[in-house]
Amino acid sequence: MGKAIVVTSGKGGVGKTTSTANIGTALALQSRKVCLVDMDIGLRNLDVILGLENRIIYDIIDVVEGRAKLHQAIIKDKRFNDQLFLLPAAQHADKNAINEEQMIELIGELKKDYDFVLIDCPAGIEQGFKNSIAAADDAILVTTPEISAIRDADRIIGLIEQTSIQQPKLIINRIRKSMMQKGEVMDIEEITRHLSVELLGIIFEDDEVVRSSNKGNPVVLDPDHVSSQGYRNIARRLLGDTVPLMSLKEEKQSFWKKLFGKKR
Amino acid sequence: MNNAVTLKGRTEGFQIILHASASFEEVVDQLKELTVQLKKDTQKGHELIFFVDTGNRLLSADEKKQISDIIEDEHFKISSYESDVISIEDAQKRAREARPKLEVRTVRSGQILEADGDLLLIGQVHPGGTVRATGSIFVIGELKGIAHAGFEGNENAIVLANFKYNAQVRIGGNVHVIENRDENLVQSEDIQFVYVNDLHIIEVGSLHYLKTIRPEIGKHSGGLF
């Protein structure tokens, strides 16, 4: 029996979908069987980031309304040997096309076959959010160091605490090292203390995330980037490993490295 | 009393004409008489096939069942119902299907563009958008979403477009993913067409072979048949 984890944030644009894709990929790289479920019905994105958009034949609403069997709607990511799968959202329906009971049944089915079921929650706290958390065992809360995202995260924690889900684990995304060091934004410890939840990991701001997402390849596939390392650490922590937090210190480039080192 | 039912011999069997000038009750009454007489006159074990011609009348499913109940038994069978008229709905659908629907627009993510019969789209299908037709689909512009031809099961339909982008083509119940990441499948700059071959597999063909493979395309007369 696998575990269903919802990835949520409240605020939009903080990196829920990117985090879902990358954590799922990282877990698949660790030889776990993972199914990603896109719940952003009507504004789906997860398929795009994984580069699977044109493979969609049936979607979650087709399954719920009985037009397709669950296994028909699930898309296998060919880059991994039977490790990573996607259940795509519908694009021409809305969040009310599915309800909580149907979600519980669906995710229950998936948990039989997969080690991890990652649910990509839509922004907001309406029906889409309710559906996403209805069937989850655990929650991952994504925020950025911005005060607006932290406010919304706080509200989400409050909502999740009213359910049977364990306390959510926090990912602080898009950290700009220099700003945090100068104290222009709340630092990691402040955010964690303010929200008083367990910290699961931090991801540094990295242009490569956008670059690789645009190509349909999650950044975590290439281990050389800081963001990739962050997601890999998160996956290992989810599997129970103890991994130290990445350092905030900006690597000072030596004069000689500046002069000769810029080969990449 | 007018004659409501006429029996005629045909090479394949018997034709029963139900005259539209008579009321349905009259038809039923006379049909019962006729059937009783026929069953008396026919040798036991002799099979008879009937074609029911309803003339200028359209029978509802209920009425058809009544007729079937009267005539049919183990030896008497109704092969088909024929009529000189069709419903307005059917007529409009046929008229729509007889000529291609022309659309000039962009089909965006989440939108579905539907057509009875053939569809000619001048414009783009964005990723996540769907164009769907009971006949064939012709796209002048970029196809990056889903094109579903022969939506109600017509496997002779084709999709004609420039397949140089990632897209998905469906014909009847067949699905084909067009992927450019595959280096072996160098996409042509030309317009090509996708069809279902004799083995029920979707195939991409060069425009030169369109006339050979689907000679019926483009032969619509504009009439009903």
Side-chain angles (χ1 to χ4, degrees):
Chain A
M1 195 75 171
K3 202 190 236 186
I5 305 176
V6 59
V7 181
T8 181
S9 73
K11 188 176 180 294
V14 296
K16 284 179 298 295
T17 303
T18 312
S19 295
T20 309
N22 280 293
I23 294 169
T25 309
L27 286 168
L29 288 171
Q30 297 271 354
S31 311
R32 296 304 193 284
K33 205 173 168 193
V34 184
C35 185
L36 308 179
V37 181
D38 193 350
M39 280 306 293
D40 207 345
I41 297 163
L43 288 170
R44 68 179 180 207
N45 286 145
L46 191 50
D47 52 317
V48 182
I49 288 182
L50 289 166
L52 299 173
E53 189 175 23
N54 58 335
R55 305 193 153 267
I56 297 174
I57 295 164
Y58 296 112
D59 54 50
I60 191 167
I61 299 302
D62 289 325
V63 175
V64 167
E65 292 180 355
R67 286 189 294 268
K69 295 263 164 53
L70 183 55
H71 70 89
Q72 290 177 304
I74 291 175
I75 304 166
K76 180 162 83 180
D77 194 325
K78 282 189 178 164
R79 289 165 291 191
F80 307 94
N81 301 327
D82 285 344
Q83 300 293 355
L84 188 63
F85 297 81
L86 169 71
L87 177 58
Q91 189 69 319
H92 26 70
D94 63 37
K95 268 97 182 163
N96 300 319
I98 181 168
N99 63 37
E100 281 121 301
E101 288 84 51
Q102 290 167 323
M103 268 308 280
I104 291 168
E105 199 187 323
L106 194 75
I107 300 297
E109 279 300 305
L110 287 173
K111 283 201 311 197
K112 287 181 199 159
D113 293 336
Y114 296 90
D115 299 324
F116 285 95
V117 178
L118 293 188
I119 305 164
D120 181 21
C121 177
I125 52 172
E126 293 80 23
Q127 190 60 41
F129 170 75
K130 288 178 191 157
N131 288 337
S132 303
I133 62 166
D137 306 310
D138 273 327
I140 291 176
L141 185 67
V142 184
T143 188
T144 64
E146 284 161 55
I147 197 71
S148 51
I150 296 168
R151 263 315 157 270
D152 289 359
D154 198 38
R155 169 110 175 87
I156 294 291
I157 297 169
L159 290 171
I160 289 177
E161 276 171 348
Q162 290 168 18
T163 69
S164 59
I165 301 177
Q166 297 178 18
Q167 196 166 62
K169 291 177 179 144
L170 184 68
I171 292 177
I172 304 173
N173 196 12
R174 311 192 66 164
I175 296 173
R176 277 182 273 186
K177 290 183 188 176
S178 57
M179 284 185 87
M180 201 169 265
Q181 274 173 334
K182 283 183 216 152
E184 289 164 346
V185 293
M186 283 168 88
D187 71 23
I188 294 163
E189 206 178 318
E190 271 178 282
I191 298 171
T192 317
R193 195 160 6 91
H194 176 79
L195 295 174
S196 61
V197 287
E198 188 191 328
L199 183 66
L200 183 63
I202 55 173
I203 310 293
F204 294 118
E205 175 82 32
D206 185 357
D207 291 351
E208 191 59 32
V209 175
V210 179
R211 218 173 285 139
S212 59
S213 291
N214 282 350
K215 288 188 206 136
N217 296 318
V219 71
V220 77
L221 285 172
D222 187 345
D224 292 340
H225 304 292
V226 276
S227 50
S228 167
Q229 200 52 53
Y231 282 119
R232 282 170 183 237
N233 289 348
I234 288 168
R236 286 175 60 195
R237 288 187 196 112
L238 281 174
L239 295 171
D241 292 1
T242 312
V243 187
L245 213 58
M246 291 166 80
S247 164
L248 253 184
K249 286 208 181 80
E250 198 108 35
E251 232 181 274
K252 272 260 166 67
Q253 286 200 328
S254 73
F255 171 73
W256 294 108
K257 205 174 174 191
K258 266 185 197 160
L259 209 56
F260 299 112
K262 274 245 160 160
K263 283 175 198 151
R264 244 198 42 149
Chain B
M1 192 161 73
N2 281 334
N3 219 6
V5 177
T6 312
L7 184 70
K8 272 188 179 174
R10 274 197 354 196
T11 42
E12 315 91 5
F14 284 100
Q15 183 179 27
I16 295 179
I17 301 168
L18 313 178
H19 295 285
S21 52
S23 73
F24 189 68
E25 286 74 31
E26 278 178 298
V27 167
V28 169
D29 286 344
Q30 292 197 19
L31 197 60
K32 277 180 184 158
E33 278 173 37
L34 180 77
T35 318
V36 170
Q37 193 62 38
L38 262 178
K39 285 188 181 167
K40 230 185 274 171
D41 294 349
T42 318
Q43 286 179 331
K44 271 262 157 68
H46 205 76
E47 291 243 339
L48 285 186
I49 307 263
F50 293 93
F51 302 88
V52 180
D53 183 348
T54 62
N56 289 335
R57 189 205 308 263
L58 274 180
L59 294 185
S60 68
D62 249 15
E63 290 168 337
K64 275 187 188 170
K65 190 171 176 303
Q66 275 191 50
I67 305 274
S68 296
D69 286 345
I70 295 168
I71 298 176
E72 285 193 314
D73 65 9
E74 46 190 317
H75 301 304
F76 284 25
K77 292 275 174 291
I78 291 176
S79 153
S80 66
Y81 286 91
E82 288 153 20
S83 171
D84 294 343
V85 289
I86 57 172
S87 70
I88 290 175
E89 208 176 300
D90 282 349
Q92 282 172 340
K93 187 162 191 261
R94 282 193 200 175
R96 275 201 303 274
E97 284 184 0
R99 55 164 193 261
K101 181 180 184 186
L102 172 67
E103 282 277 346
V104 184
R105 62 177 273 199
T106 302
V107 182
R108 294 178 189 281
S109 180
Q111 293 180 325
I112 301 177
L113 170 61
E114 277 182 308
D116 288 323
D118 296 344
L119 171 68
L120 171 60
L121 172 68
I122 299 175
Q124 300 168 36
V125 184
H126 283 183
T130 304
V131 283
R132 192 187 268 174
T134 57
S136 297
I137 296 174
F138 312 96
V139 181
I140 301 177
E142 297 172 352
L143 173 64
K144 294 176 175 173
I146 299 170
H148 192 171
F151 177 53
E152 282 164 3
N154 176 12
E155 296 212 333
N156 288 324
I158 63 159
V159 175
L160 186 145
N162 183 338
F163 297 106
K164 68 175 178 182
Y165 307 99
N166 280 355
Q168 196 183 93
V169 174
R170 306 182 189 183
I171 295 174
N174 305 280
V175 180
H176 184 65
V177 173
I178 293 173
E179 194 101 298
N180 295 340
R181 235 187 274 151
D182 193 347
E183 294 295 324
N184 299 326
L185 238 163
V186 179
Q187 302 298 311
S188 163
E189 284 293 311
D190 299 333
I191 286 182
Q192 292 174 302
F193 72 102
V194 168
Y195 66 103
V196 179
N197 68 14
D198 299 343
L199 303 168
H200 297 281
I201 296 168
I202 284 190
E203 213 173 304
V204 183
S206 155
L207 220 46
H208 304 292
Y209 302 110
L210 177 57
K211 212 67 208 166
T212 332
I213 293 167
R214 289 281 181 269
E216 68 276 12
I217 282 181
K219 284 214 178 130
H220 292 298
S221 59
L224 282 185
F225 288 103

